[in-house]
Amino acid sequence: MTEANLDGQQASAAEESIPMTGAQMVWEAFVREGVKTVFGHPGGAILPTYDALASYEAAGKIHHVLVRHEQGAAHMADGYARATGRVGVCICTSGPAATNLVTGLATALMDSVPVVAVTGQVPTNLLGTDAFQESDVVGVTQPVTKHNYLVTDVSELPMILKEAFYIAREGRPGPVLIDICKDVQNATGEFRYDMTVDLPGFEPWPTVDMSKIQQAADLINQAERPLILAGHGIKLAGVSRELLEMVERAEIPVVTTLLGAGDIPETHPLSLGMGGMHGEAYANRAVQGCDVLIAMGMRFDDRITGSLDRFAKQAKIIHFELDKAEVGKNVVPDLPVIGNLGETLPALLSLIEQRKHPDWLAELNVWREDSGQTDIINYEVDELIPPYVIRQLWHSTKDTERGPAIIVTDVGQHQMWESQYFVHEFSGQLLTSGGLGTMGYALPAAIGAQMAHPDRLVWAVVGDGGFQMTLQELAVLKQERDLPVKIAIINNGFLGMVRQWQQLFYERRYVGTPIVAPDFVKLADAYGIPALAVRKPEDVSGAFKQALETPGPFLIDFRVKEELNVYPMVASGAAVDQMIRRPKPAVVQGFSGVEPSW
Amino acid sequence: MKHTLIAWMRDKPGVLNRVSGMLRRRNFNIDSLQVSHSETPGISRMTFVVDGNERMVDQVISQMRKVVDVTRVEDISSKPSVVRELALIRVQTNAETRSDIVQMVNIYRGEVVDVALESMVVQIVGSEDRVDSLIELLNNFGIIEMVRTGRVAVVRGMTERKHRRSTAVWRARANGYENMDEERLTTGGV
Ligand SMILES: Cc1ncc(C[n+]2csc(CCOP(=O)(O)OP(=O)(O)O)c2C)c(N)n1
């Protein structure tokens, strides 16, 4: 597959090549790719490239954000990319710096996030000698990138840079790493950027088989109990609006994956919210009760399917997916529709008939009433519990002047409570590490999102455990002139999600899960960030108000009830409709003291 | 069932590592893997054998195609093709056994490529079955050292099936295989 002039500018004559160093080429390519912000950390093997950044920074072309750990750089680039749909960029030195990127690259690969990472490498004559700070970065990062390069010749660098952005962005997005030997950064070569990317083995956009779309439309038009299972692909293809149109025309309810949160507004009557391990009981029942399951831009992860042997066996499954390797990997669909949702969904839409499904919806609504989900906001709570905090966060942010907030969650119980109790209104409102489940993601990713959208309200929601994995990035908030990221720590004194499993499956033996935290308010103070601790439910909304009204960053340490579990829950290996339900009476009193019945 | 797949890839540093790393990471069951040049400069050709059902082979192909340097992947199991393996076997000999071994090697249309006082090196080219059974026989004399290439394959030319059968039969006869059943002949079993 070849494609010239990706951004549509048709070069009339060949660009004249300019002699420059490898180091300059990196920045020149970034500028041509529209990169304005990079996240990085310098060191010996990348020094020539940092030196060449000076003039680009002085000219206001590129802004470099200094991170405190390279994992943070990768997550920031990831957060930037998720918040914009553009390629996020990070840069660091060789050896330990490059290996520090690995977690961030793996996170981006699992969630299909376009990132380009540049690392310095020892000079070519030292390759393979165990030189100081040498590590086999291409080898180490191969399984966690979409593609990677080792550059040993400056004449190859311009094409490699161009290919890297192309591969990261086209088709199913993902991270690409370029490891550049130090002597290559110093060497002079010819730079131009109008060449054609020629990658015969790379087929990012498969041709759509239109007959499959007709078959899909026939199945959907005849369905009595249709259901859409929407994932990240809807956001990546930017087809939320088309999805909503189809949903309304044919009256089809929608369940989403975690990364599909907000694919249609969760305020919409046809939205059933998230399904899967901690999805709503009615959402999972809908999956197990539909007659046609229309999966769109999702990959049947085990967190959404539960036991595969018992997943939606009654339904005809249609799978709309860009990546052919995902089709049939976990669930074999009755009808695969391979291709870009940006093509297939509009084509499908034109064939979808107006329908009503009153019986099916009535059934769903009965199931929906049998849920504690809505109770949480309506009742007086006497203890500070995370679902209440999350709901108040939604209330306090939904009508601000800065538009609805972007929420970035970490990994654990608070992440699941956020997905349950926050009402996501648009696709891309929630940024979270779904596939890899990377603790420590929230703060750096929120910084990336905020750098991309300086005027938007960005909230990081994070556990006391995960926060302690990357809290050093608080310093970035200060260094970036009081970057206004707001942070809500859901502090339960435990590695909560693991503790929940120990409680349910290991007879409450809490090994390695009680966690001591510093005084987060003092910590924030040490970083020069205003903060307060909240212990009582009645102080929650005031705290959110104060956070909003305070310019710049703000941190709230919510000291929540310690031992509280996330329900509903599908235990690993169980069918998706075999849930441990929310203990009902406990909801009213803030869940206190009631354990689930098995 | 065993599937023979062929993948063409850009001859870039580390490409074999990319492919084998992916196969390992995804826990695919690979029986043998062989890489060499192809007819196109700059393109390497890999023949590999996967043991698994259709769905798994489909997965292997799809995942393989996602490796950026891989330009094409084909499952040739259902296509008429010529499949061969080469083995070099150093076997223990003495005055008594030497002629027995030579005779066996001849029956298998192998070749003795090196003779020393106490050992000889036997070369055999053929289907894996044939290589297997010669190895089994030679084992009785004591195999000192052995190397096998793994399966390599090319698809047969586009000929009429009838014609193909007759060439296959002709070839088998010419090679001294009188009584082979025709099905095996046409599926490259020789
Ligand atoms: C880097 C990393 N290490 C370990 C885990 C396993 N893990 C998943 S959730 C969790 C607990 C998280 O605790 P905390 O951050 O306090 O959040 P909570 O569950 O209490 O909301 C752990 C340890 C992980 N997901 N990521």
Side-chain angles (χ1 to χ4, degrees), chain A residues 272-290:
Chain A
L272 303 182
M274 182 178 76
M277 181 175 271
H278 290 296
E280 290 305 330
Y282 52 82
N284 287 334
R285 277 194 185 173
V287 169
Q288 299 295 70
C290 61

